[in-house]
Amino acid sequence: MSSVIGILIVLAIGAVSGRFWESVIFYIVFCFTRLFSGGFHAPTYLLCKITFTSVLISVLALDWLLCGIVGYYWYVLYLYSFIIICRFAPVENSNKKLTEYEKVRSKVICIVEMMICPLVMLLLNSINSELYHIAALTLFSVANLMLLGIFYERRKKQ
């Protein structure tokens, strides 16, 4: 049910903002990356949906604000994300502990995903689609949510 609500939020915001495909790309990149990377998990379902919606709106707004920047800056955002995600994934949640096998498996999957992303970004760029901006910004958001998750879990333990 949570996934259906997430999809409906994305489709509604995409339709209202006139940025349907950007919203779809956000959802795909966000969900596939977060599935194995982990990161911040809100303490309540409502806060989770508010955070998810805020991240989507932020990504769309940043894409609109930064649309004029030189193309290679998007790859700098990707590189930052690559370093954070590959270094810290998977980020555990105190509500869901991972076995050693799950940790290694998730780390490998994250690294593979992060190696595929620039290829997809280059493909989108080569066909003059600026959807690769959304992919870079979404990965940037996931990386920062991972850092927030690490910080949040450390604070809870103190």
Side-chain angles (χ1 to χ4, degrees), residues 62-144:
L62 282 170
D63 180 52
W64 181 76
L65 288 170
L66 301 175
C67 66
I69 68 169
V70 179
Y72 66 85
Y73 287 115
W74 298 106
Y75 294 97
V76 171
L77 278 181
Y78 161 77
L79 184 59
Y80 165 85
S81 306
F82 178 85
I83 291 167
I84 299 298
I85 291 171
C86 290
R87 167 63 179 93
F88 294 108
V91 174
E92 276 192 287
N93 177 331
S94 58
N95 297 330
K96 182 183 177 193
K97 296 293 182 185
L98 299 173
T99 66
E100 267 318 298
Y101 172 77
E102 290 170 327
K103 288 178 188 177
V104 170
R105 180 178 177 269
S106 293
K107 168 85 75 190
V108 168
I109 291 171
C110 279
I111 291 170
V112 170
E113 284 178 346
M114 292 306 292
M115 292 170 71
I116 291 171
C117 282
L119 301 175
V120 173
M121 289 171 65
L122 286 169
L123 175 67
L124 289 168
N125 191 14
S126 72
I127 61 171
N128 293 325
S129 171
E130 293 187 349
L131 290 174
Y132 76 99
H133 299 178
I134 295 294
L137 287 166
T138 303
L139 290 171
F140 181 75
S141 298
V142 169
N144 288 314

Side-chain angles (χ1 to χ4, degrees), residues 15-100:
V16 168
S17 67
R19 315 243 358 243
F20 179 80
W21 290 111
E22 290 88 342
S23 298
V24 169
I25 294 294
F26 166 85
Y27 187 78
I28 292 168
V29 173
F30 187 87
C31 289
F32 279 114
T33 308
R34 284 278 300 203
L35 185 62
F36 297 102
S37 69
F40 174 74
H41 287 274
T44 68
Y45 180 76
L46 178 61
L47 187 55
C48 174
K49 291 306 168 199
I50 290 170
T51 303
F52 176 76
T53 303
S54 299
V55 171
L56 170 58
I57 292 170
S58 297
V59 164
L60 294 175
L62 282 170
D63 180 52
W64 181 76
L65 288 170
L66 301 175
C67 66
I69 68 169
V70 179
Y72 66 85
Y73 287 115
W74 298 106
Y75 294 97
V76 171
L77 278 181
Y78 161 77
L79 184 59
Y80 165 85
S81 306
F82 178 85
I83 291 167
I84 299 298
I85 291 171
C86 290
R87 167 63 179 93
F88 294 108
V91 174
E92 276 192 287
N93 177 331
S94 58
N95 297 330
K96 182 183 177 193
K97 296 293 182 185
L98 299 173
T99 66
E100 267 318 298

